[in-house]
């Protein structure tokens, strides 16, 4: 009897995944890029972080999604999601991962609240300054809207992929 090659990426005996999917590898590669380091004339710019100025991490060609979401959360209608979040969460289904209002309220709380902004309520304290040393760079302020991206793209052939897409088409799909 010929021996069979073990399945790639799965340890069947332990029921564990042993390799990353292509999507996971793309996300990991994109998360390690430092394309968000903006400089002008060779000088580092001071990051602007405060309520309403929180960024979104690129999760593998998700810049079109981030652009749309950041645009929407500048609108007063979407800014009401932050203060309304407790009421939205109270009426959410038992599994809010599939509930669009819950996911939008969650993102609104992150973008418009202080929890994830350096120095805001609930944010981790800055690292201590070494004795006689200089203060390090400000921590980056960004969140990763993975659940919302997954929910909105669910069942859509283009937006459920990790391929680059059109922001206007995504906006139309999101508000349908």
């Amino acid at each position: 009897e010929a021996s069979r090659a073990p399945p790639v990426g799965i340890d069947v005996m332990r029921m564990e995944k042993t390799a990353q999917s292509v999507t996971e590898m793309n996300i990991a590669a994109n998360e390690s890029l430092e394309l968000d380091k903006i400089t002008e004339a060779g000088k580092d710019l001071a990051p602007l972080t405060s309520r309403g100025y929180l960024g979104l991490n690129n999760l593998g060609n998700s810049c079109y999604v981030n652009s749309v979401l950041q645009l929407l959360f500048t609108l007063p209608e979407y800014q009401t999601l932050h203060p309304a979040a407790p009421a939205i969460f109270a009426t959410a289904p038992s599994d809010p991962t599939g509930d669009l209002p819950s996911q939008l309220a969650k993102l609104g709380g992150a973008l418009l609240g202080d929890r994830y902004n350096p120095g805001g309520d609930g944010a981790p304290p800055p690292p201590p300054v070494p004795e006689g040393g200089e203060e390090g760079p400000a921590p980056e302020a960004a969140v990763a809207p993975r659940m919302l991206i997954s929910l909105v793209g669910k069942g859509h052939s283009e937006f459920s992929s990790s391929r680059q897409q059109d922001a206007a088409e995504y906006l139309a799909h999101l508000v349908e």
Side-chain angles (χ1 to χ4, degrees), residues 10-11 13 16 68 71 88-89 101 107 118 123 140 145 150 171 175:
I10 300 173
D11 182 341
M13 298 306 287
E16 290 180 355
V68 168
L71 167 78
I88 292 170
F89 296 149
L107 182 61
E140 293 187 23
S150 175
L171 175 61
V175 297

Side-chain angles (χ1 to χ4, degrees), residues 23 65 86 139 154:
T23 300
V65 174
K154 189 175 185 176

Side-chain angles (χ1 to χ4, degrees), residues 109-148:
L111 291 175
L112 303 172
D114 285 330
R115 181 173 181 188
Y116 297 101
N117 283 306
D121 295 337
V129 177
E131 191 173 315
E134 293 184 20
E135 193 171 322
E140 293 187 23
V143 293
R146 284 183 179 89
M147 279 194 229
L148 179 61

